[in-house]
Amino acid sequence: MPVRGSGTTTRRNVLEAAAELVEREGVSKLTLDAVAERAGLSKGGILHHFATKDSLVAAMIEDLVSQFEADLSRHMAGEQGPGSFARAFLRACLDPEGALTRTVHVSAGIIAAVATNSQLLAPLRRRYDYWRKRLEDDGIDPAIAELVRSAADGLWFAGVLGLALPSVALRKRLFAKLIEMTYAT
């Protein structure tokens, strides 16, 4: 059944369909035809929003950055003082309502970009450089900030790739320890 709605709604549905396709069937199955079928659109409907597979993957990366930025903003609310950005970063990566729960689904763009054209990761790399610099200038020891970022990234990517993710109880303890470190001066 074709998807009806605004261009924004259709675009969102296409991005969701592409992410589901990568998550369930693998990046090798990511084609505009397959995404069109999954989204309930004609190929022309897909081409209206994404002229090429690369433009679709680029939009998936942009969507990941946008969702993570929204998580960061949400977690920055109420934070203040040294380490505030580090705590928001941790919560955005590891909070049960944040990015860790979206893992592969949201990260399908990263997986697709790595597999098809790693140059499509350039916007994510630029944003990541910004986040890293912001962590270094967060008013805490830069080594602590880097340790916090590396731990959060490691746990997040372990979830994305399904690699030896610690139990929920241990993740909660790790999270608490990392948050505690951001208050150290």
Side-chain angles (χ1 to χ4, degrees), residues 27 30 54 57-58 60-61 107-122 124-125:
V27 73
L30 182 66
D54 277 358
V57 173
M60 293 169 76
I61 295 291
S107 304
I110 294 174
I111 294 165
V114 168
T116 61
N117 181 352
S118 65
Q119 292 179 356
L120 296 173
L121 290 172
L124 179 60
R125 288 182 178 119

Side-chain angles (χ1 to χ4, degrees), residues 11 32 43-57 59:
R11 184 177 168 85
L32 294 179
K43 186 169 182 182
I46 295 288
L47 291 171
H48 175 74
H49 294 279
F50 306 103
T52 64
K53 184 165 101 173
D54 277 358
S55 66
L56 172 61
V57 173

Side-chain angles (χ1 to χ4, degrees), residues 3-41:
V3 174
R4 302 271 184 230
S6 71
T8 303
T9 301
T10 302
R11 184 177 168 85
R12 164 70 25 223
N13 290 340
V14 170
L15 292 172
E16 290 290 324
E20 287 174 11
L21 187 68
V22 170
E23 181 181 358
R24 293 186 182 155
E25 298 183 37
V27 73
S28 66
K29 302 293 184 185
L30 182 66
T31 66
L32 294 179
D33 288 323
V35 173
E37 182 178 329
R38 185 170 291 272
L41 294 169

